[in-house]
Amino acid sequence: MDLKIQMLGTGSAFAKAFNNNNALLTVDGLNVLVDCGITAPKALYELGYSFNDLDAILITHIHADHIGGLEELAFQMKFIFGRKPILYLADALVGTLWENSLKGGLQQDPTETLEDFFDVRPLNEGVAHELVPGLSVELIATKHIPNKRSYSLLFNEFFFYSGDMVFDADLLDDLVDNRGVQVIFHDCQLHPPGVVHACLPQLLTLRQSVQERVYLMHYGDDQREFIGHTGHMSFIEQQKAYDLNPLTFARQFGIME
């Protein structure tokens, strides 16, 4: 199995030097887009992809830097490519995504719903679901903005991808110690306090065996000032493709003996 991840962007919601923190997972030639923020259409174009190259889209939560490109995606798929894209998201987010985010722009007929634009496939949290052959995901509810649902992602039981979350050392310890997670892509607010994101000073309190698995994303425009000051953690670069095979990825970053 050939599993890779390419970050379309690694920037925070307010970053301008970096694109929105969205990712493209590729497994044996199939492409799954993780979140589709405002900058996603342009970022895909710059990497040589069109929306028609996507086999599925997976949404973590409903903020513009994670869903702001869905309107363009839906219109292009309907009027240019003539097919409904597969849209995976937590069952608890389906109604909110349509009523609070997409309906105003997409709906042209009063009877249209989210299902008129997407092949909607709701996911239950805490259960592994196959997105495409060779790629499964488990949604893990994590805290981000009070009173707004947000989910992090556990892919193929070894790769944890935070969907914007406050610091939760107990969860990260459990993932590494009890669930066999080898790789963690974690959002990182570079400056304290960590109110709606884990901040770097908090992540630096993780024990070394966890830090060695952590790769930082969703950072601000002053990220360069923090290179070399992230403990045993490393920054992920946007547009660079990383091999996510559990063995080759671990060797690539030196986290296996």
Side-chain angles (χ1 to χ4, degrees):
M1 180 183 67
D2 182 23
L3 178 58
K4 291 183 172 62
I5 187 168
Q6 190 171 25
M7 300 301 299
L8 303 184
T10 52
S12 68
F14 303 145
K16 297 297 179 286
F18 302 101
N19 294 327
N20 295 154
N21 198 91
N22 307 158
L24 189 67
L25 278 166
T26 301
V27 53
D28 295 336
L30 300 175
N31 298 313
V32 176
L33 181 66
V34 178
D35 287 332
C36 185
I38 296 167
T39 63
K42 186 173 185 290
L44 283 167
Y45 173 80
E46 289 173 346
L47 290 172
Y49 292 100
S50 79
F51 289 132
N52 202 39
D53 294 317
L54 303 177
D55 295 282
I57 303 102
L58 172 63
I59 299 301
T60 60
H61 66 289
I62 300 175
H63 274 151
D65 56 322
H66 296 265
I67 57 94
L70 282 178
E71 180 179 310
E72 180 181 347
L73 187 155
F75 277 139
Q76 281 206 35
M77 294 305 297
K78 183 172 183 177
F79 296 115
I80 296 177
F81 300 111
R83 69 176 177 90
K84 289 184 185 180
I86 295 172
L87 178 65
Y88 290 107
L89 73 167
D91 53 2
L93 293 179
V94 174
T96 305
L97 176 64
W98 177 248
E99 292 295 334
N100 295 352
S101 297
L102 296 182
K103 181 178 179 179
L106 284 178
Q107 190 180 68
Q108 300 180 63
D109 183 286
T111 64
E112 286 181 323
T113 66
L114 186 66
E115 287 75 13
D116 288 299
F117 296 91
F118 296 96
D119 177 357
V120 181
R121 302 192 184 182
L123 304 177
N124 298 320
E125 66 177 271
V127 179
H129 301 268
E130 185 179 65
L131 303 178
V132 295
L135 182 64
S136 68
V137 70
E138 175 187 335
L139 300 188
I140 299 175
T142 45
K143 294 180 181 179
H144 178 36
I145 301 291
N147 304 313
K148 289 186 181 291
R149 296 179 185 272
S150 184
Y151 297 87
S152 294
L153 311 170
L154 180 58
F155 291 107
N156 287 15
E157 299 183 341
F158 80 92
F159 172 43
F160 178 77
Y161 181 102
S162 74
D164 289 7
M165 58 179 275
V166 299
F167 183 62
D168 190 343
D170 290 340
L171 173 61
L172 299 177
D173 284 341
D174 180 66
L175 290 168
V176 171
D177 294 340
N178 301 317
R179 303 204 60 180
V181 166
Q182 299 181 36
V183 180
I184 298 169
F185 276 29
H186 206 297
D187 55 304
C188 177
Q189 180 178 304
L190 296 172
H191 302 275
V195 178
V196 297
H197 291 277
C199 68
L200 181 58
Q202 291 172 321
L203 290 166
L204 284 168
T205 67
L206 294 169
R207 69 182 198 268
Q208 180 176 336
S209 59
V210 176
Q211 284 193 37
E212 288 171 343
R213 291 162 169 77
V214 174
Y215 303 94
L216 304 172
M217 60 183 187
H218 208 289
Y219 40 74
D221 285 341
D222 57 348
Q223 174 258 357
R224 289 185 179 276
E225 298 175 17
F226 291 84
I227 295 174
H229 302 283
T230 57
H232 298 279
M233 302 175 289
S234 302
F235 286 113
I236 286 296
E237 300 176 34
Q238 69 178 25
Q239 297 190 341
K240 181 177 178 179
Y242 296 89
D243 189 345
L244 274 175
N245 178 281
L247 294 178
T248 59
F249 190 94
R251 293 194 192 102
Q252 179 181 348
F253 286 99
I255 64 174
M256 289 188 67
E257 297 179 357

